[in-house]
Amino acid sequence: MTEHHHDERATCRELLKSLSDFIDGNLDESLCVEIEKHMAECDRCQVVVDTLRKTVELYQNIYPAPPVPDEVRQRLFVRLNLDDFLSRRQPEH
Amino acid sequence: MVETAQQDNLSLAAIQAGDRAEFARLVDLYSAPIYRLALRILGEPRDAEDVLQETFIKAYRHLKDFEGRSSISTWLYRIASNEAFMALRKRKPEAVSVDEEISTVDGEREPVQIEDWCCLPEAEFLSAESREHLDLAVGNLSPALKMVFMLRDIEGLSVRETAESLHISEAAVKTRLLRARLQLREELSQYYGERLKEVKQA
Ligand SMILES: [Zn+2]
C-alpha cells in the first residue's frame, strides 16, 4: 500500500462521520466544499454518498406506513372511554 | 407525519380542561405514528397495540403536568418510546440494553458494499420484493438505532425533537442516525446490487 493511498483512505474515513449531516444539508459550507472536492477524486465516496442519499430517500418515500387497523382504533377508544367519538373519521397520514 | 397546521389546531388548553372531544382528536392525530413506531420496535401487532393504549392512558393521566416546554408530539413520543423499550425489556431481558451506550470511539465501520445502484429503473424500487427488503433491513437495526431512525427519517422529527423524545443528546441522535443509515445502506446495497447485475444481464 502506497503512502498516498493510505492518506486517501484516512480522508474517506474522516469524511464518513459527516455524511449524514452532509446529505441532510446541515453541514458548514467549508466542510461541504471539502467533501465535494474529495468526491470528485474518489469514486468510492461518491458511490457511498449517492447510495446513502438514495437509501434515506427510499425510506422517506416508499417505505410502507401501516395504518392503525380499525379494530385496534376501536379497542383504543373503548379503553380510553372515548367510544362516543368513535364514529368520527380517522385523519389520513 | 403530522402536519403543523393540524398540531396548531389542537387546543392543549381544552384537552387539559377535560374536553374529551379534543382528546379524541389528539388520539386520532397521533395513533398512527405511535402504532407504527411500536410495531417496528416490537414486531408484534399485539405488543404494539398495548404500547399504543398505555401511551394514551399515561398521557391522559399526566396531561395536567404537561407544561408545554416541548411540543405535545415530542411529549407523546417520549411516553411511547419508554413504553416500547419497557415492553422490549420485559420480553427479551437478555437483549443488549436498549439505551445502550453507543460508542463513538471506534468511529464508523468502513463501507463494504460499493455498488452504484441508484440508476436502477424506478419500478425496481417500487416492487413488493423491494419494499420487503426495506422492512427486513430496518428489522436488523438494534432497538436504539431503530428508534432514532424511525423518529428522524420516517416520522420526520428534527434532530432536536428526536433528542427530546428519547431523552438523549443531539450528538447521540446524530451518531445513531448515521450508524443506522450506514447499516441500512450496506444491506440495501447487497440487495439492489444483485438486482443491478440481473437488470444488466437481461
Ligand atoms: Zn474517499
Side-chain angles (χ1 to χ4, degrees):
Chain A
M1 199 192 260
T2 66
E3 200 52 41
H4 177 70
H5 187 76
H6 180 82
D7 281 353
E8 234 168 58
R9 274 307 176 75
T11 311
C12 301
R13 260 202 308 278
E14 186 61 31
L15 291 186
L16 198 57
K17 284 185 244 161
S18 312
L19 290 192
S20 220
D21 281 333
F22 178 68
I23 64 169
D24 286 343
N26 289 336
L27 214 56
D28 289 346
E29 177 81 35
S30 61
L31 247 176
C32 283
V33 171
E34 201 180 306
I35 291 180
E36 271 152 19
K37 207 178 121 207
H38 175 77
M39 283 194 308
E41 298 161 350
C42 177
D43 288 346
R44 240 184 112 81
C45 283
Q46 180 73 61
V47 169
V48 170
V49 167
D50 289 346
T51 50
L52 189 65
R53 190 177 276 135
K54 186 75 183 174
T55 296
V56 174
E57 210 180 276
L58 286 177
Y59 279 106
Q60 287 173 349
N61 297 329
I62 68 160
Y63 190 46
V68 181
D70 279 345
E71 62 279 12
V72 170
R73 177 174 181 261
Q74 201 160 350
R75 285 193 290 263
L76 175 65
F77 272 58
V78 169
R79 183 94 198 267
L80 297 169
N81 291 321
L82 293 172
D83 356 357
D84 35 335
F85 300 101
L86 257 174
S87 59
R88 267 193 349 204
R89 227 193 307 128
Q90 204 175 351
E92 291 292 321
H93 280 281
Chain B
M1 191 166 68
V2 176
E3 301 290 325
T4 318
Q6 287 175 312
Q7 279 186 31
D8 290 346
N9 248 331
L10 210 66
S11 168
L12 181 63
I15 297 174
Q16 286 181 320
D19 183 334
R20 292 171 62 248
E22 200 64 0
F23 184 63
R25 239 157 57 76
L26 175 83
V27 173
D28 264 338
L29 264 176
Y30 291 103
S31 283
I34 287 172
Y35 183 72
R36 262 200 302 266
L37 199 66
L39 192 57
R40 302 285 190 217
I41 296 293
L42 296 161
E44 292 288 334
R46 287 247 35 128
D47 294 343
E49 184 173 349
D50 286 345
V51 166
L52 181 67
Q53 294 190 355
E54 283 308 309
T55 297
F56 283 110
I57 287 169
K58 291 213 169 127
Y60 189 75
R61 222 177 272 154
H62 296 288
L63 263 170
K64 285 182 228 75
D65 313 324
F66 176 67
E67 290 169 343
R69 248 178 288 168
S70 59
S71 70
I72 190 130
S73 59
T74 305
W75 183 67
L76 285 173
Y77 284 133
R78 186 184 294 187
I79 301 173
S81 60
N82 267 333
E83 287 297 320
F85 279 156
M86 249 156 48
L88 199 64
R89 240 174 256 135
K90 219 182 282 170
R91 222 178 48 186
K92 290 189 187 170
E94 79 284 0
V96 214
S97 160
V98 281
D99 22 46
E100 73 209 64
E101 207 38 62
I102 305 273
S103 156
T104 48
V105 183
D106 357 320
E108 302 309 323
R109 248 192 292 156
E110 223 174 300
V112 180
Q113 302 280 338
I114 310 292
E115 192 81 58
D116 190 2
W117 45 269
C118 296
C119 54
L120 272 169
E122 197 58 23
E124 284 289 336
F125 297 118
L126 299 173
S127 74
E129 198 188 64
S130 155
R131 288 169 203 262
E132 213 172 285
H133 273 86
L134 292 179
D135 213 20
L136 282 173
V138 170
N140 287 336
L141 293 173
S142 74
L145 294 189
K146 202 189 294 177
M147 189 64 100
V148 168
F149 174 73
M150 286 293 299
L151 288 177
R152 177 84 180 92
D153 279 341
I154 306 296
E155 302 305 337
L157 269 63
S158 68
V159 169
R160 191 173 150 198
E161 289 166 332
T162 307
E164 281 175 1
S165 298
L166 298 177
H167 240 304
I168 57 178
S169 69
E170 290 185 34
V173 168
K174 288 186 168 195
T175 307
R176 292 177 194 197
L177 183 66
L178 173 64
R179 205 154 293 180
R181 285 170 164 183
L182 286 172
Q183 186 182 326
L184 294 170
R185 193 204 70 86
E186 288 294 332
E187 295 196 27
L188 294 193
S189 292
Q190 259 178 46
Y191 169 68
Y192 291 122
E194 283 300 312
R195 295 300 310 147
L196 190 67
K197 273 182 215 148
E198 283 178 41
V199 167
K200 274 181 181 163
Q201 274 166 10

